[in-house]
Amino acid sequence: MPLLMLVLEQIERHDLPGEFALLPYVESHYRQLPPSGNGPAGMWQLMGRTAVDQGLKVSRSYDERLDALASTAAAIGLLERYDRQFSDWRLADMAFNAGEYRIKRALGKQLHQQLDSEDLAGLKVSSTTHQHLARLMALSCIINDPQRFSVTLPQPDNGIALQALTLPSAMDLRLAAALAELPLAELLRFNAAWSRQKNPSGPTTRLLLPQQKVANFNFALTKFPPAMLSDWHLQTIDVSTTLDTLASSLETPATLLASANQLDPTQTLHPGKAILLPGRATESESTTSTQTHTIRRGDTLSAIARHYGVRLADLLHWNALSNTSILRPGAILRVHAPTF
């Protein structure tokens, strides 16, 4: 719903047919799917060349196809062009799936004519393109008349609508999740472009957060100097201590360490507890840092556990899963004990 609300706002701003808000559902079920080789990526499933032509950055460290705001702007630009060219949202959808030139060739002399459903069904394009439009139209029917199909639709809530925040510097996303009081996996779902758990510095440094989390996040952020936002690492506690004592040894205010870990400053830390600390990890510490794994097609829980050298039982526990859980491509798993 948060991503749907973001897309719908852009569609309404550009005065495009509301059916297009369902396109990312047809493409990906609104999941930020990572690329596989040279294949498409993101909730809009944009190909790399198409994305670059639309002004998006595509690299190993930063893929804007996974950026909800940037990819939506690029997709809306394409749809607006197709809608203007064909004067028919159905043909615009086909062009989004197959490319505008294939649709132009298929139309031939019918390019500027109004097509009825029979004409549309007779266009010589792939069955995949016809199915793509059929799925979009079917979803539109359900949204338009949910009672007819015994469907209960979720209601939008302004509190979960996403808001873009400009950050003072690059920021470790584990720290951002703690300050926003969000699970890391949820923060990564809204900010999936960062393949590492840090967003880059520069004029485009931003973070998407649910509106209901923004005020507390901004207040917590004011306590941290900009230079202290970027470099954080996880360290496992070896002996019992208190957060106050640990903060003192690091010459760091205990309140900041408490905010970064969502803990009470006077709390006792027991051996085995993983704590987010300022500064870069040493080589030995980095081996125990919290990691995530983005599920790809063909992954299994046992294979993921073997790859990261963890017990299957722990992997299931950290992610609230069972042996029978379905793995959906694009979902994010913790592969080490969570910090908060």
Side-chain angles (χ1 to χ4, degrees):
M1 180 59 76
L3 293 170
L4 171 62
M5 294 170 70
L6 180 149
V7 170
L8 189 58
E9 179 187 4
Q10 295 300 314
I11 284 173
E12 290 175 344
R13 182 178 297 177
H14 289 265
D15 196 28
L16 288 169
E19 285 84 355
F20 290 148
L22 302 173
L23 247 177
Y25 191 87
V26 173
E27 293 285 349
S28 67
H29 285 207
Y30 265 97
R31 294 175 300 186
Q32 296 288 16
L33 299 178
S36 178
N38 295 323
M43 65 185 187
W44 291 95
Q45 286 292 276
L46 297 173
M47 296 297 293
R49 182 171 180 178
T50 301
V52 171
D53 287 345
Q54 289 298 111
L56 299 184
K57 297 176 183 177
V58 178
S59 69
R60 286 186 178 182
S61 61
Y62 179 47
D63 191 335
E64 279 193 306
R65 292 178 294 175
L66 303 176
D67 182 309
L69 277 176
S71 65
T72 295
I76 293 296
L78 286 171
L79 292 169
E80 194 170 30
R81 189 173 85 210
Y82 299 156
D83 192 57
R84 186 170 55 248
Q85 283 182 356
F86 299 113
S87 301
D88 186 327
W89 73 268
R90 302 169 302 171
L91 292 173
D93 173 74
M94 285 183 156
F96 188 85
N97 177 259
E100 60 184 303
Y101 297 110
R102 288 182 183 174
I103 302 305
K104 285 180 178 179
R105 286 197 300 268
L107 286 169
K109 295 180 180 179
Q110 295 176 294
L111 179 57
H112 299 294
Q113 298 178 15
Q114 291 295 317
L115 304 183
D116 58 26
S117 57
E118 187 175 341
D119 293 331
L120 202 67
L123 283 182
K124 293 183 178 180
V125 294
S126 72
S127 59
T128 299
T129 299
H130 281 294
Q131 290 169 7
H132 189 275
L133 176 60
R135 291 190 181 102
L136 185 60
M137 295 178 76
L139 277 171
S140 301
C141 289
I142 294 170
I143 299 297
N144 188 55
D145 191 2
Q147 290 184 342
R148 176 185 171 191
F149 299 96
S150 301
V151 169
T152 301
L153 298 176
Q155 296 302 311
D157 177 354
N158 287 336
I160 66 171
L162 296 175
Q163 181 174 331
L165 304 180
T166 300
L167 300 173
S169 72
M171 186 172 188
D172 189 297
L173 294 186
R174 295 167 298 188
L175 175 64
L179 300 190
E181 298 181 358
L182 277 175
L184 178 60
E186 186 172 355
L187 185 84
L188 291 174
R189 184 163 67 92
F190 300 143
N191 300 274
W194 321 117
S195 62
R196 300 166 185 167
Q197 289 181 355
K198 184 190 297 182
N199 60 12
S201 59
T204 59
T205 303
R206 66 163 181 247
L207 195 68
L208 279 179
L209 287 180
Q211 286 183 6
Q212 61 193 4
K213 299 291 185 179
V214 169
N216 287 343
F217 175 83
N218 281 335
F219 177 73
L221 191 64
T222 60
K223 301 176 183 179
F224 286 77
M228 198 177 177
L229 295 177
S230 177
D231 294 323
W232 288 74
H233 67 283
L234 279 174
Q235 184 170 324
T236 302
I237 300 300
D238 294 327
V239 296
S240 294
T241 185
T242 65
L243 199 63
D244 263 332
T245 302
L246 183 59
S248 178
S249 69
L250 296 170
E251 299 182 350
T252 300
T255 53
L256 298 192
L257 212 55
S259 294
N261 291 278
Q262 293 183 295
L263 296 173
D264 188 285
T266 62
Q267 183 169 337
T268 299
L269 306 176
H270 299 289
K273 176 70 174 176
I275 294 292
L276 194 61
L277 300 178
R280 296 184 179 182
T282 64
E283 185 175 347
S284 61
E285 290 167 347
S286 65
T287 61
T288 62
S289 294
T290 293
Q291 296 175 327
T292 60
H293 174 84
T294 301
I295 294 172
R296 298 176 180 272
R297 290 179 178 85
D299 275 354
T300 65
L301 288 167
S302 57
I304 294 170
R306 285 196 303 272
H307 177 77
Y308 290 98
V310 300
R311 295 193 312 139
L312 176 59
D314 289 336
L315 184 68
L316 296 175
H317 175 68
W318 297 331
N319 294 279
L321 297 174
S322 70
N323 282 311
T324 58
S325 295
I326 297 173
L327 300 183
R328 303 188 184 280
I332 296 171
L333 294 181
R334 296 181 186 273
V335 293
H336 279 287
T339 318
F340 36 77

